[in-house]
Structure formats: C-alpha cells, structure tokens
Amino acid sequence: GVCAALLLSPLAPIRVADPILTLGFLAGAGAMLAGLGAIVGVLSRGWDQFSAISGLIILPLGFFSAVFFPIDALPALAADLMRYAPLHLAVDGTRTAMIGVGDVPPAIGLPALWAWAVAAWAGAWFVVRRARPLRD
C-alpha cells in the first residue's frame, strides 16, 4: 500500500483524514484475516481444500463488503446484516479513516472489528487445540 501510494502521489494528492484510525483499522483487518487464515489452514487437508474454502466463504463476503458498491444498494434486510459483517467493518472503517466517509461510525466500527479479530483468533486457538498432531 505504501509503495502504491508513493507511485500514485505525483498523479493525485493523497490525504488521509485520520492516520491513527487508519492504522487501527488496517491492523484490525490484518489480525482478523490472519485468524481466519489460521482456522482455514488447520481445517484444510491440502491447498485445494484451502482455496475452495477461501473461495466459497471469504471471497463472497468480500464482494458483499461494499467495496464495489454502497451497502445501501442491497435490500434492507441484507444491508442491515452486512453492515456489521467483519469484512464490511474493515473496508468501511478504512474508507472512513482514509477519506472521512463511511456507513458505520468509527467509535462502533473499530471495536466491532477488533471483536471479530479476537473471535477469529479464539476460533484459531480452539481449532489448533482440537487438531490432530501435524505430521512431517
């Protein structure tokens, strides 16, 4: 991200509305996705199963996280459900911190994102504790 920002900065001025909040959302998103990756990695028996789980669960959540469209474009019930989905919190929070515009207030979104990150790591811990010993 830093390299892309440096390369694009001569073309357009890049201003971050709140750098500290941006770091909080990016770190929360990274922690949450790392926990989910650990869960999927332990549960998978190979790369094919890992990519299938990622493609069937995480990729659709990414599409519904309002990266490519406003969440209000979804039907009302779906929008209400997706507003606090983990990937939407990460995307919307980062957008809010970077440009100052978003759906979920940062005072709600940042703690909720970190709660999802803690839940993902708790799930990873549980899965690792229950997993059969890994072989060489």
Side-chain angles (χ1 to χ4, degrees), residues 39-64:
I39 292 170
V40 173
V42 170
L43 293 177
S44 300
R45 294 192 176 145
W47 285 106
D48 294 338
Q49 195 172 21
F50 181 87
S51 62
I53 292 172
S54 296
L56 294 173
I57 296 172
I58 297 183
L59 187 64
L61 284 176
F63 283 131
F64 286 115

Side-chain angles (χ1 to χ4, degrees), residues 18 21 25 89 92-93 96-97 100-113:
D18 190 341
L21 193 60
F25 274 106
L89 289 170
D92 185 64
T96 302
V101 177
D103 293 328
V104 180
I108 296 171
L110 189 60
L113 177 63

Side-chain angles (χ1 to χ4, degrees), residues 9-108:
S9 62
L11 301 175
I14 298 174
R15 293 181 188 91
V16 177
D18 190 341
I20 302 298
L21 193 60
T22 301
L23 290 175
F25 274 106
L26 291 177
M32 179 194 58
L33 290 173
L36 290 175
I39 292 170
V40 173
V42 170
L43 293 177
S44 300
R45 294 192 176 145
W47 285 106
D48 294 338
Q49 195 172 21
F50 181 87
S51 62
I53 292 172
S54 296
L56 294 173
I57 296 172
I58 297 183
L59 187 64
L61 284 176
F63 283 131
F64 286 115
S65 65
V67 173
F68 303 111
F69 58 88
I71 201 160
D72 295 331
L74 292 172
L77 179 61
D80 290 339
L81 291 175
M82 290 307 297
R83 198 168 309 278
Y84 296 101
L87 290 178
H88 178 263
L89 289 170
V91 168
D92 185 64
T94 304
R95 181 184 303 130
T96 302
M98 294 285 291
I99 64 173
V101 177
D103 293 328
V104 180
I108 296 171

Side-chain angles (χ1 to χ4, degrees), residues 131-135:
R132 292 181 297 169
L134 300 174
R135 297 185 181 141

